[in-house]
Amino acid sequence: MSVVNSKEHHIPPFAQDKLGKLVIDENTLAQKIKDLGQEITQDYLGRKILLVGVLKGAAYFMSDISREIKLPLQMDYMAVSSYGTATKSSGVVRIVKDLDLDLSDKHVLIIEDIVDSGLTLSYLQKYLHAKHPLSVETCCLFLKTGNQKVDLDIKYIGFEIGQEFVVGYGLDYNEIYRNLNSLYQLNQDQM
Ligand code: IMP
Ligand code: MG
């Protein structure tokens, strides 16, 4: 991990004194997403694939990885809100926006930004399985190593990261910082 250099990493002024360490820079993110897209393209060749993006955190990831999967595919979105504080989810999940498309003849691939306790993803996997698609798999960009409170089956994982709270590339703190190109820790005194 390197220290944030605001000139090199083009941190917009509003965020410059709010961020801690740079965790993953935008080029490393882009390369990993290319690799994941290639792997998914090979695995899903000849199958009807439906990407289910989890709003709002996975919005950029969904947008980028869908263009690295070189197959005909459908995209849909769910929004869930999990009761908890700004930095900890409680595991009690409420569906704010449900799917629009029918799943019955599809291979579903959940596109998720980050897995922390795993409670949100575990809920979503069960919810989608219950609609009886042909299969349900998960692709998450960031996994907080060792924080999971439930056993999870995640087929594609971008990066395993530490337990610190992170923002950028879709991830927020109180709805701010999603529009940063790279992933950063947040300064402790901001939380
Ligand atoms: P989980 O249910 O504990 O796995 O939490 C998953 C959700 O909490 C993610 O989809 C994010 O929306 C949010 N989350 C967890 N960790 C972070 C973080 O470090 N930064 C921003 N959001 C996070
Ligand atoms: Mg999320």
Side-chain angles (χ1 to χ4, degrees):
M1 290 204 200
S2 58
V3 173
V4 173
N5 174 328
S6 55
K7 283 212 180 70
E8 235 172 82
H9 295 290
H10 309 289
I11 301 172
F14 82 87
Q16 276 177 8
D17 57 350
K18 309 275 196 307
L19 302 178
K21 285 182 176 163
L22 172 71
V23 180
I24 304 168
D25 70 74
E26 59 180 300
N27 295 329
T28 309
L29 287 174
Q31 186 55 55
K32 177 69 76 177
I33 293 167
K34 251 191 195 358
D35 293 346
L36 284 170
Q38 237 171 39
E39 198 183 335
I40 293 167
T41 301
Q42 282 160 11
D43 291 352
Y44 283 86
L45 215 64
R47 300 207 223 160
K48 270 191 191 162
I49 177 173
L50 170 67
L51 303 182
V52 175
V54 185
L55 295 172
K56 307 169 202 168
Y60 296 117
F61 183 36
M62 177 77 154
S63 158
D64 286 341
I65 197 160
S66 58
R67 288 174 291 171
E68 298 296 344
I69 300 172
K70 309 297 182 185
L71 297 172
L73 55 76
Q74 293 183 335
M75 297 164 72
D76 205 345
Y77 295 89
M78 285 184 74
V80 295
S81 94
S82 91
Y83 295 102
T85 63
T87 60
K88 279 264 169 306
S89 85
S90 64
V92 181
V93 175
R94 185 170 58 99
I95 293 177
V96 177
K97 187 221 165 289
D98 206 341
L99 296 170
D100 298 326
L101 301 176
D102 176 51
L103 302 190
S104 51
D105 57 344
K106 312 278 167 54
H107 291 277
V108 169
L109 182 57
I110 302 171
I111 303 294
E112 176 63 302
D113 51 356
I114 187 165
V115 173
D116 182 12
S117 70
L119 294 169
T120 306
L121 180 59
S122 170
Y123 176 87
L124 276 174
Q125 287 180 337
K126 286 197 192 106
Y127 180 82
L128 292 170
H129 268 298
K131 294 186 177 283
H132 303 294
L134 296 176
S135 67
V136 179
E137 298 289 357
T138 300
C139 175
C140 86
L141 188 54
F142 309 116
L143 175 75
K144 287 192 179 172
T145 313
N147 263 13
Q148 286 70 60
K149 294 185 184 153
V150 278
D151 264 340
L152 281 176
D153 180 12
I154 307 179
K155 187 159 187 191
Y156 308 96
I157 298 172
F159 301 91
E160 298 205 15
I161 62 171
Q163 308 198 343
E164 305 80 13
F165 196 79
V166 288
V167 296
Y169 196 70
L171 298 177
D172 72 304
Y173 177 69
N174 285 340
E175 299 293 329
I176 310 291
Y177 307 113
R178 293 188 195 278
N179 58 333
L180 302 174
N181 287 325
S182 301
L183 188 76
Y184 302 91
Q185 288 179 12
L186 196 62
N187 260 341
Q188 285 296 330
D189 61 7
Q190 296 300 320
M191 304 177 37

